[in-house]
């Protein structure tokens, strides 16, 4: 996973980046939804944003992970992991998440 590290860097010696990301973004809460100032939502354990990554049926954005945002709110996080990996493999890497970019 490339990009900036910020808070995620602090826990790398003891946990993989995905575990750090889940801790700093949601404290492992799979059902959390954060309403952003731009009207989008950040969803689930990795706080994946509806602006680009999932469909909320309100904004009709690109939906690069090809999933509904509510799918990110279940305890089955396999699809969340696939989407987070897609985001992390992009040009911003882990820097796409606030806690890993500061």
């Amino acid at each position: 996973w490339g990009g900036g590290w910020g808070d995620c860097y602090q826990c790398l010696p003891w946990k993989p980046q995905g575990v750090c990301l889940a801790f700093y973004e949601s404290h492992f809460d799979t059902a959390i939804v954060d309403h952003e100032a731009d009207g989008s939502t950040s969803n689930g354990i990795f706080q994946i944003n509806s602006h680009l990554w999932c469909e909320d049926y309100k904004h009709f954005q690109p939906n690069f992970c090809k999933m509904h945002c509510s799918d990110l709110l279940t305890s089955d996080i396999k699809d969340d992991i696939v989407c987070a990996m897609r985001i992390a493999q992009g040009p911003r890497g882990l820097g796409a998440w606030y806690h890993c970019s500061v």
Side-chain angles (χ1 to χ4, degrees), residues 41-43 48-57 59-72 83 87:
T41 57
S42 292
N43 303 277
I48 294 171
N49 191 270
S50 65
H51 183 69
L52 293 175
W53 302 104
C54 64
E55 178 61 66
D56 62 5
Y57 296 108
H59 301 100
F60 301 102
Q61 298 295 334
N63 189 10
F64 291 126
C65 286
K66 310 231 183 299
M67 62 190 311
H68 191 278
C69 296
S70 65
D71 294 338
L72 296 165
C83 184
I87 296 167

Side-chain angles (χ1 to χ4, degrees), residues 9-42:
Y9 182 76
Q10 295 174 17
C11 69
L12 286 179
W14 56 275
K15 293 290 181 194
Q17 294 95 325
V19 174
C20 294
L21 179 62
F23 173 77
Y24 282 109
E25 291 296 325
S26 69
H27 294 290
F28 305 113
D29 184 348
T30 60
I32 193 167
V33 177
D34 187 19
H35 297 273
E36 306 295 345
D38 66 0
S40 68
T41 57
S42 292

Side-chain angles (χ1 to χ4, degrees), residues 1-5 21 84-97 100:
W1 302 46
W5 295 102
L21 179 62
M85 288 177 67
R86 178 173 294 196
I87 296 167
Q89 291 169 351
R92 293 181 60 202
L94 282 177
W97 285 274
C100 297

